[in-house]
Amino acid sequence: NQGIVKHYHSDMSAEYLQQTYNDFSSDTGTCRILHATAGASTGLDIRGIRIVIQYGMCKNMAEMLQRAGRAARDQSLTGLFLIMAEPWAFGTSLDDKPFDRMDPDKPYAGTVKKSSSKQERTGCAALHLIQSTTCLRQFFALYLNDQSSQGKFL
């Protein structure tokens, strides 16, 4: 249970999760890379994280922003959020799916069924983000409906 990389998910024992948290959050801990499920993006507040890598599309922008927010929680740090999206996310047509401020996280398929694929379940705003060719800070201001003067230049 020692080494540079550890896995973290809710199916592991409370003892293992606590030890992994300690090993990752401590400056003297043995864990430098945490491979984690969604639980780490909402349940852990660890300072000093500089890079968060999202492997695969999040189902919506709220989830994506929550995960991205794990990086550079210290105001003195600069952080990086890297999204490693599946190829289909870049090729999915959004021609008939304009950005909808009233429901930005509406699933691509509209109505989600038990048998819906990940592509069909993914929120339109997340797909717009992946395919965006404009300033991402402006995109986030639009998504968050930030109409302040600071939001325009976030």
Side-chain angles (χ1 to χ4, degrees), residues 1-6 16 19-20 23 28-32:
N1 267 352
Q2 291 193 5
I4 187 168
V5 179
K6 284 194 169 185
Y16 175 86
Q19 184 61 52
T20 298
D23 287 345
T28 60
T30 57
C31 180
R32 302 301 346 108

Side-chain angles (χ1 to χ4, degrees), residues 134-152:
T134 62
C135 173
L136 294 181
R137 290 180 177 191
Q138 289 176 341
F139 180 90
F140 287 127
L142 174 69
Y143 174 77
L144 296 169
N145 199 24
D146 185 348
Q147 298 176 10
S148 68
S149 58
Q150 293 88 359
K152 294 177 184 174

Side-chain angles (χ1 to χ4, degrees), residues 125-138:
L127 292 168
H128 278 281
L129 172 71
I130 293 300
Q131 295 182 17
S132 179
T133 58
T134 62
C135 173
L136 294 181
R137 290 180 177 191
Q138 289 176 341

